[in-house]
Amino acid sequence: MSRNTIRLVIILGVIAISGIIAIQIYWVKKAFDLKDQQFRQSTMVALRNVANQISKSYKLAKIENPVSQYSSDYYVVNLRVPLQQSLLEHLLKEEFKKNNINTDFEYGIYDCETDKIVFGAHINSDYEVEEVDQTIILPTTDKFLNYFGVKFPNQKSYLTSKLDFWIVSSIITMVVMAFFAYAMFIILKQKRLSEVQRDFINNMTHEFQTPISTIKIATDVLAQSKILEQPERFKKYVQIIKQENNRLKNQVESVLATARIGKGQIELDMKLQELHEIIGEVSDSVKAELEDNFTLDLNATKTTINADRMHLMNVIRNLIDNAIKYSGKPPKIKISTRNENNLLIVSISDKGIGIPREALPKIFNKFYRVPTGNLHNVKGFGLGLNYVKEIINLHKWKINVISEMGVGSVFEINIPLPD
């Protein structure tokens, strides 16, 4: 599947998901509004019946519109005459049962002497009086002389509970969208893995082709009968074959080591090590090659650490090789050490091309190589820094990278000192 096809699928998927979400929200809102309207109508009918029963008991004429909605969950009802709390509570319960209003409500009766509504009670959904922790204050109004107020504190949750179908459909919609998002994630992941695999095979082919070609040329020369008459030349080509063979061996071992790390098959041989001694051993060959362009600045005084000697040497060697690869000609490499708090910090810096800011979070990913265009001017599989990161994680150390384009890069390893 091409990149453009995947991009088109993602765009269409996002549009489809957005449309489904918008439609679902619209219909859920419409359903909620409908339930709210039905609840409001049922409440108005029940409260009007309560008012008419009170009017009838006092032989008063009916009122056409005795109920006024003060807010979305609060209603006031024209009473016209003083009324006992117990009678009002009884009438409210009866009418709410008839109209299937099964949610908590609070009521109060207006007292003209105090100009306040005297709180009656909090009635739960089972129509039983329930104690409340705080004093309930119901709003007053100037619309009626004698009236009572009814408030539904849990109205929104009550209406929401009535949307069973829409809640289920919303859950199904969310599951479908989650499945689609997961499918897109898998497609993108497979696409990335495919690209990584292709790049790795291309790099591996290139890296193996060079030493194989060199060995072939050297063996062709050694196959000539006259070569035995030139011992120096014979020795030179034997040495070339040996070097290229070691190069192939190291490349194969790096791939196998990464595979073992991925499977969790590497076990560290942790022992007390002298870091400066290991740095000196690793850097001997580099100093001979780079001469004055390689600097050691070993200022740490506490240098004994717990580490696996072989893997620690490989980590330092990989970081040095990486610094050389991405440096100019000639490369300028510096290794320094220092103590900070209870840490031994190893710093490997170069004056190379630097790493782009957007590439920094990816440089420790397996097979990742900082893009250099179509030129294959940097050798390797993209495994070195991944190996470094994995070994540092196994040691429970930390590594930090500071880089600036055109200035160079600094890799710092923070190693806790043993107690």
Side-chain angles (χ1 to χ4, degrees), residues 22 78 82 133 139 172 204 225 266 297 311 330 349 351 365 385 415:
N78 189 359
D133 297 333
I172 293 174
M204 184 175 65
S225 57
I266 287 186
D297 186 19
H311 287 297
S349 59
K351 301 294 182 181
N365 293 348
L385 288 181
I415 305 174

Side-chain angles (χ1 to χ4, degrees), residues 278-308:
I278 292 175
I279 291 175
E281 185 176 338
V282 173
S283 60
D284 280 344
S285 59
V286 183
K287 284 192 292 185
E289 181 182 348
L290 300 182
E291 298 178 348
D292 294 337
N293 292 315
F294 184 84
T295 307
L296 290 177
D297 186 19
L298 308 179
N299 295 320
T301 56
K302 298 178 181 179
T303 57
T304 302
I305 59 173
N306 278 315
D308 183 300

Side-chain angles (χ1 to χ4, degrees), residues 383-399:
L383 296 174
L385 288 181
N386 176 257
Y387 171 82
V388 168
K389 180 66 173 177
E390 293 293 342
I391 294 301
I392 285 176
N393 287 343
L394 287 173
H395 279 84
K396 298 182 180 179
W397 300 342
K398 291 183 180 179
I399 184 168

Side-chain angles (χ1 to χ4, degrees), residues 15 19 67-68 72 146 163 176 244 271 286 355 358 380 416-417:
I15 293 173
V67 185
S68 179
S72 61
N146 287 293
L163 303 176
V176 171
E244 294 303 319
K271 293 181 180 178
V286 183
I355 304 171
E358 62 274 11
L417 293 169

